[in-house]
Amino acid sequence: MDMTVRPRRLRKSDTLRRMVRETRMDKSSLIYPLFVKEGTNVEEEIPSMEGQYRYSVDRLPFELERLQKAGVDKVMFFGIPDVKDEVGSQAYAEDGIVQRALREARKQFPDLYLITDVCMCEYTSHGHCGVLCGHDVENDSTLKLLAKTALSHVEAGADMVAPSDMMDGRVGAIRHLLDEKGHKDIPILSYAVKYASAFYGPFREAAGSAPSFGDRKSYQMDFHNRREGMKEALLDVQEGADIIMVKPALSYLDVIREVKDAINLPVAAYSVSGEYAMVKAAAKLGYIDEERIICEMAVSTYRAGADIYLTYFAKELARFMEEGRIG
């Protein structure tokens, strides 16, 4: 046949396919979510997230060393306190679990980049992401506690803070307090576009953060909505966010793409606990090729526009990149 244009020409060899690859990935874009809890000598596997663990502060260095050896140099801490109360006071306590984890990590691993999740749900007795007024989460009074939490993390050694609560105005409140206290150089990674998702189920078991009543639909976004996500992202840019995150990742690739096209900041995506658990469960049953699925999920997220990828598969992806199987 007389064909001038033959797309298959550029697929002829692995070398050629790699040369013309449109989506490229790097270990430097990976962030690993890590759960820290009270106690000593604790390294307990999370039942719904096979291969993921909760660590006490004394066991934390062993996992941080494994991450560093794998080539993952960024972690995000999630704290699990022993004591919870109505106002989540352990979230911003000087001797809180995340604050102690930060000091230990900073002392032993000065080259690691430490990010903290800023929210109240793991710390409140009712499991909601802020202060209650009756059965409603009171937005404005919650902002002060979120800002106080972020400041306490920075003072304990955090390089970056990541508010995930979905209160209106929290990025501005955090930015104002950090600047006021002399931390103008600390970036904010905002969970700007966070949907009320069924994909969070395993995380809530891992962090003990399920709400004791109701749900979080009055502050997390309705997953039917796309334009609302753009509204949230643009508002957080105006308030001083340095990175905008979309959460979850896999079912929201269209939103990642739209956010990427609309803003001039880096875009992060969080491949959440439900995505991880589904892959592990299906692989255990022999239904899927786990390694290939991990790679394909990651590539799809980067292809959609993500610059940064939070994933429980960070160590595996770093290895696959090192081996040239992905990247």
Side-chain angles (χ1 to χ4, degrees), residues 86-142:
E86 287 289 306
V87 293
S89 59
Q90 283 299 299
Y92 42 87
E94 185 178 352
D95 63 345
I97 182 61
V98 166
Q99 290 81 353
R100 282 185 280 123
L102 284 165
R103 293 188 189 100
E104 186 67 19
R106 178 59 64 224
K107 179 174 67 176
Q108 296 206 39
F109 299 90
D111 295 332
L112 282 181
Y113 195 84
L114 307 178
I115 308 167
T116 59
D117 177 80
V118 176
C119 195
M120 308 295 292
C121 60
E122 296 108 311
Y123 304 92
T124 55
S125 52
H126 45 76
H128 280 282
C129 298
V131 179
L132 293 184
C133 180
H135 275 185
D136 295 323
V137 176
E138 214 294 307
N139 192 95
D140 293 8
S141 56
T142 298

